[in-house]
Amino acid sequence: MSNAMATVPASRTWQRHTVGQKLARTALWLLIAVAVALSVQSINVIWEFLWDAPEQMMDMGRRMWPPDLAYYPKTVHAALMETFHIATLGTIFSMVFALPLSILAAHNITPHKGLNLFAKTMLVSSRSVNSLVWALLFVAVFGPGPLAGAVAIACRSVGFVGKLLGEALEEVHFGAIEALKAAGASQTSQILYGYWPAVKPAFWSIMLLRWDINIRESSVLGLVGAGGLGMAMNAAIDTFEWDRVAVILLTIFAVVVIGEVVVTYFRRRLI
Amino acid sequence: MSGARLGPTARGKRSGIRPFHSSWQAKLLAIVVAAYAVYALGQLEFSAERFVKGLDNGARFLARMFPPSYRNGDQIVTGFVESMQIAVLATFFGVMLSLPIAVLGARNLMPAWATWPARLIVTLCRAFNPVIVAIVFIKAVGFGALAGVLALIVASVGFVGKLFMEAIEEISMKQIEAVRATGAPFLSVVTYGVLPQVIGRLVGFCTYQLDANLRNSTMVGIVGAGGIGAALFAGFQRFEYDFVLAILITIIAVVLLGEFASNYVKRIFHV
């Protein structure tokens, strides 16, 4: 080693990247530029509509103001409770299904390539289909209503919770598990007394995060008929009652803010 | 259990605390969650009868989905090209907008009069689901891809802006100090002191956001903002469930490909 170093000529100029790395980076920048240029050129935009936009926004603002506050106790409150139930039930369901899948996906608990791949494929499919698309599917299965929404939320959340929990399980320190194994603990005992205490804080924080996301997502599921605030909003938009839409938007904003406060409070207590 | 009782912890014996024994709070929480699930299921008009009927429907639904039909393959291709354009443009302009906003909002670089407005913008962008933002933009600029691009730009600013702001706040101030000591103006401080420290994480956020925008562009299409989502929704409305399955499979494949591509990009920039 020291011999090789000594032979480097003193006049050598050091460079941070090799020629290959430079080429790869330049190619990437070019690729980004070309992708953006092509997209701008070929995307289907009606420019007259864009110039018209400020006027349209002003018009919408005028129609929204003042918000029809009397509408809240009549319809919006019930829809809000429905949204809350959809999000919470969906989170609870997803927890039930994500636990076994995450155990199957973690290669240190399940040392079986086929099972790992199976669980990971299930989790990826769950994640790549949007909750709105899941809702479309389950509206076709269960009929319109909040039940389809809750199942859709659960199906979308399984992938998220399962992936993060599986990663947390894979990062569990080996020492505790080895100690349990040495004491003759069964697989179940290893999971209950070795893995679970190690991932417990991560688990609750993942569930809280997902609940927060689910509250936001379940407020739009109604647009495809899966119950909750979205259903009320869809009805109001279809009848051009923008003052009612404004009430619903304000409600969603309030819910999101409250959700964030609640989650922050619990996270501080739990972790 | 008996093993735990035999343990040498005298304190545990006296107060009845055993290792791995769940506290009464934990048990109470579990009971409350279970009771809530039953109550909420009742609220959502869930019944065993309806569930069985749903399963029946689901079986018929699945039967109509298989085999996936690629008859209208050209529709899938045009839809996906538009979705990609939406995702590329939304990510590009979203990231371009979030860079200055994040620098303005970082508390370690800027005084309070600059951080508050920047943080407010980011919070507002995050508060509403992209679908709701898309509906507002459809009212402003009409149906089509432009509304989708604008809605996803807002979502990107909310996500990349927040994470990038947090990344800047975590940087080491020593390098900033060093650049400032040479008498560099603010812009040079950002380019030579801040950016080199966060560029790796920024690349990570951008690739993630491109991925997320591609997934979300299927969602905003459902409410009329262009892309593959429009074809998907049309398929549902015409009960062409085999076509729907073909689109879903394509979405999952593209998202998987995107994950590989983003890993590759990250490798190029991290080396």
Side-chain angles (χ1 to χ4, degrees), chain B residues 85-99:
Chain B
Q85 290 168 341
I86 293 176
V88 166
L89 288 180
T91 314
F92 181 74
F93 289 111
V95 169
M96 285 295 140
L97 277 175
S98 18
L99 288 178

Side-chain angles (χ1 to χ4, degrees), chain A residues 29 48 81 86 99 170 209 223 243:
Chain A
W29 283 118
E48 287 79 17
M81 289 323 285
I86 291 173
L99 277 174
E170 285 181 349
L209 177 61
L223 294 172
D243 48 347

Side-chain angles (χ1 to χ4, degrees), chain A residues 81 84-85 89, chain B residues 32-45:
Chain A
M81 289 323 285
F84 177 79
H85 290 321
L89 263 187
Chain B
V32 167
V33 167
Y36 167 79
V38 173
Y39 161 79
L41 279 175
Q43 288 284 303
L44 300 189
E45 291 157 14

Side-chain angles (χ1 to χ4, degrees), chain A residues 67-140:
Chain A
D68 181 10
L69 288 177
Y71 187 57
Y72 179 83
K74 263 190 284 175
T75 319
V76 181
H77 186 74
L80 175 65
M81 289 323 285
E82 210 169 76
T83 290
F84 177 79
H85 290 321
I86 291 173
T88 316
L89 263 187
T91 315
I92 295 174
F93 285 156
S94 75
M95 178 168 79
V96 175
F97 291 107
L99 277 174
L101 276 176
S102 64
I103 288 175
L104 284 181
H107 63 74
N108 52 350
I109 305 185
T110 316
H112 188 285
K113 281 251 163 64
L115 282 177
N116 289 344
L117 194 69
F118 166 75
K120 286 212 166 125
T121 315
M122 297 277 285
L123 295 179
V124 168
S125 329
S126 152
R127 265 181 299 137
S128 8
V129 179
N130 204 287
S131 55
L132 215 55
V133 179
W134 277 118
L136 275 174
L137 286 175
F138 285 111
V139 165

Side-chain angles (χ1 to χ4, degrees), chain B residues 76 80 228 231-232 242-252:
Chain B
I76 300 185
F80 256 106
I228 189 73
L232 186 72
D242 46 356
F243 183 51
V244 166
L245 183 63
I247 296 179
L248 287 182
I249 290 175
T250 323
I251 291 177
I252 294 177

